[in-house]
Amino acid sequence: SQMITGSVAASLAIVTLLYWVFRSFLVVLFGALPLLNGVLAGIAAVLLVMGSIHGIALAFGVTLLGVAIDYPLHLFSHARPREALDATAARIWPPMALGALTTVAAFAILGTGNFAGMMQLALFTCAGLIAAALSARWLIPSLTPRRFVPAAPHPLLPLPLAAPRWLGGGMAVATIAAIAIVASYDGDLWE
């Protein structure tokens, strides 16, 4: 019950944020398509290969597929004035495809063991990510009205363009501290 309430609240927050940033319900609607296609493709892949899908694999798989929201966000964020969305998709496809493939490769490792749940999770996530990326590349531009050009994203926060000088040193200290903590740990590090 709490998990469902939390999921609904998180989904509403994402929808609200996307509408606020892009000021378009069409962007919000089309932004959900790759994720929905990813979930459907993931379920179908697991059912075809393994015959059934475990609830935990489905729940964690949907969570991992959350990264697929990035694909339509890149598409809408990189649209240029008077540029058709299919032209934007073609222009940004090489780096978007590379990002999707590196993410798929990382999640594919989950399926290399003999644990059926992890194999389902890996298959679900990999199939879902591929479907989501392909949906952002070809489905969204084909469904979008020809004259539709997303509004320039609303700036979220007044972030400085250059990071403060002390931030680099602070990150170096934090990294050294993390290495020292891991190196000095005297218990069983890997269980």
Side-chain angles (χ1 to χ4, degrees):
S1 172
Q2 284 181 328
M3 191 164 95
I4 292 172
T5 304
S7 295
V8 169
S11 297
L12 289 174
I14 291 168
V15 166
T16 302
L17 178 65
L18 290 178
Y19 181 76
W20 181 61
V21 170
F22 289 103
R23 298 171 306 280
S24 168
F25 282 115
L26 195 60
V27 168
V28 173
L29 174 68
F30 285 159
L33 287 177
L35 182 58
L36 294 174
N37 281 342
V39 170
L40 289 173
I43 292 170
V46 173
L47 290 177
L48 283 173
V49 173
M50 306 187 95
S52 67
I53 186 165
H54 195 280
I56 292 178
L58 178 62
F60 280 115
V62 170
T63 301
L64 293 176
L65 274 184
V67 300
I69 192 69
D70 290 351
Y71 306 146
L73 292 182
H74 285 301
L75 180 63
F76 294 128
S77 296
H78 287 89
R80 295 177 179 157
R82 294 179 299 284
E83 178 182 49
L85 211 50
D86 56 346
T88 303
R91 181 170 47 81
I92 68 168
W93 178 242
M96 186 167 38
L98 178 62
L101 290 175
T102 57
T103 305
V104 166
F107 285 132
I109 292 173
L110 294 174
T112 59
N114 291 330
F115 183 55
M118 292 300 276
M119 291 167 37
Q120 285 187 5
L121 180 61
L123 180 58
F124 178 93
T125 307
C126 292
L129 286 169
I130 291 167
L134 294 175
S135 294
R137 169 59 181 95
W138 282 284
L139 181 63
I140 292 174
S142 71
L143 294 177
T144 306
R146 195 79 177 132
R147 294 181 181 180
F148 175 77
V149 177
H154 184 279
L156 294 175
L157 299 171
L159 296 174
L161 294 177
R165 205 170 167 83
W166 56 266
L167 188 59
M171 290 303 300
V173 169
T175 302
I176 291 168
I179 291 169
I181 290 168
V182 171
S184 67
Y185 184 73
D186 62 352
D188 289 335
L189 186 59
W190 308 110
E191 283 191 33

